[in-house]
Amino acid sequence: MASVTLIAYTPSPEYTIANAAKLCYSPSSIETVREGLTDEKVADFVNMLAEIGHASPIEHASFTFGIEGVSRSLLAQITRHRIASFSVQSQRYVREKQFGYIIPPEIAEDDEALALFEESMKRDQEVYDRLTVLLKAKHEKQFLSEGKDEKTAARLAEKKAIEDARFVLPNACETKMIVTMNARSLMNFFHHRCCNRAQWEIRDVANQMLALVSHVAPNLFKNAGPSCVCGPCPEGKMSCGKAAEVREKNRRIKAGE
């Protein structure tokens, strides 16, 4: 299953945000804006921003996560969050000699479905390997005819071969990435992806990310999560109808329980 690590973040993120907020609302200079910012006043500034909906100061804090044990299907979803930076292990440059894959829980719980799924993964690997061999041989011959030495021809041929062979790899194929978001983007991410209606895999990743940032910036993220945590569910007839359950789960995540 997914594993999420908080690799780095803005030092003293709430203090940094409080500096930005204080500058907006006081005649302070850059030299004096930090004066008098006790832990209590930092918390007051962060809480005030949440109350009045002034979100731009929280963009000054950013968080970088390492995410692994996730599918290419999740990759397609998480990269829809545009105000973020992504570095993903490339299938163009890294050969999938024995690709790992993510098994959806519903499939894992059904013996017949699981057997069919695993057979499909095995078949995909075999086709990928065969395509890589065929294409590499073709491209290597071409590069040798162009005057490349054997080592260079083999290296270039494999890279070109796996570029096309990867097209048979499934959405289940395991990948890993490093993701950076500022706090405002994270709030939006949690709003959508911690929701019960989010797909199970990205919801698990989002909840792990929320637990990690809540530990280092508890005031900043105390109201983070799906919209039903601090107000009504906006999903209408599509609502899961379990707001109380979601709020309790959200509380436990932030508390590290």
Side-chain angles (χ1 to χ4, degrees):
M1 298 298 288
S3 174
V4 182
T5 304
L6 182 58
I7 294 176
Y9 55 91
T10 301
S12 304
E14 294 182 348
Y15 180 78
T16 299
I17 291 167
N19 273 271
K22 182 180 178 182
L23 187 68
C24 291
Y25 295 105
S26 76
S28 300
S29 68
I30 297 298
E31 292 181 349
T32 63
V33 72
R34 291 171 289 180
E35 294 177 357
L37 276 179
T38 63
D39 290 346
E40 183 179 0
K41 289 186 177 180
V42 165
D44 287 343
F45 270 115
V46 172
N47 292 333
M48 178 196 72
L49 294 174
E51 289 173 4
I52 66 177
H54 186 186
S56 62
I58 73 173
E59 294 176 9
H60 294 290
S62 64
F63 301 81
T64 299
F65 305 89
I67 303 174
E68 55 189 339
V70 294
S71 68
R72 303 292 290 197
S73 179
L74 178 136
L75 175 62
Q77 295 183 69
I78 199 170
T79 51
R80 291 173 185 159
H81 294 269
R82 294 173 179 81
I83 312 302
S85 300
F86 302 93
S87 298
V88 183
Q89 190 170 81
S90 174
Q91 289 181 333
R92 291 182 64 203
Y93 292 91
V94 180
R95 183 169 176 175
E96 298 283 6
K97 293 182 179 179
Q98 185 58 59
F99 70 83
Y101 49 84
I102 308 305
I103 306 175
E106 293 293 332
I107 291 178
E109 292 171 3
D110 185 299
D111 290 343
E112 185 177 357
L114 179 60
L116 183 61
F117 184 87
E118 291 182 331
E119 176 60 29
S120 176
M121 296 301 103
K122 180 181 178 182
R123 204 160 49 238
D124 286 344
Q125 181 72 64
E126 290 171 351
V127 173
Y128 173 84
D129 291 341
R130 182 60 178 153
L131 280 172
T132 300
V133 169
L134 289 172
L135 293 173
K136 182 179 179 181
K138 172 186 175 182
H139 297 317
E140 193 168 3
K141 184 181 297 185
Q142 177 188 342
F143 287 127
L144 288 170
S145 71
E146 293 173 358
K148 301 285 194 302
D149 62 81
E150 290 186 3
K151 184 177 180 180
T152 300
R155 175 176 56 81
L156 293 176
E158 173 152 316
K159 192 265 182 181
K160 193 170 182 179
I162 65 176
E163 282 187 345
D164 290 335
R166 66 184 171 140
F167 276 73
V168 303
L169 294 173
N171 272 338
C173 190
E174 184 178 334
T175 192
K176 59 197 72 172
M177 68 193 78
I178 291 177
V179 179
T180 300
M181 295 187 190
N182 68 48
R184 187 177 189 178
S185 292
L186 268 177
M187 294 291 193
N188 177 263
F189 178 74
F190 295 145
H191 175 83
H192 292 286
R193 303 303 185 174
C194 291
C195 175
N196 260 7
R197 295 196 64 244
Q199 191 255 358
W200 62 269
E201 187 180 23
I202 199 168
R203 185 171 66 245
D204 172 52
V205 167
N207 285 334
Q208 290 189 54
M209 291 166 68
L210 177 57
L212 291 167
V213 296
S214 293
H215 178 70
V216 299
N219 293 302
L220 178 59
F221 292 103
K222 71 177 182 179
N223 294 322
S227 56
C228 65
V229 168
C230 294
C233 175
E235 298 289 339
K237 66 180 181 180
M238 302 297 287
S239 172
C240 72
K242 300 178 180 179
E245 180 183 315
V246 172
R247 292 187 190 110
E248 175 58 20
K249 180 178 180 180
N250 188 267
R251 184 198 66 76
R252 293 198 308 271
I253 288 169
K254 293 172 185 174
E257 296 178 2

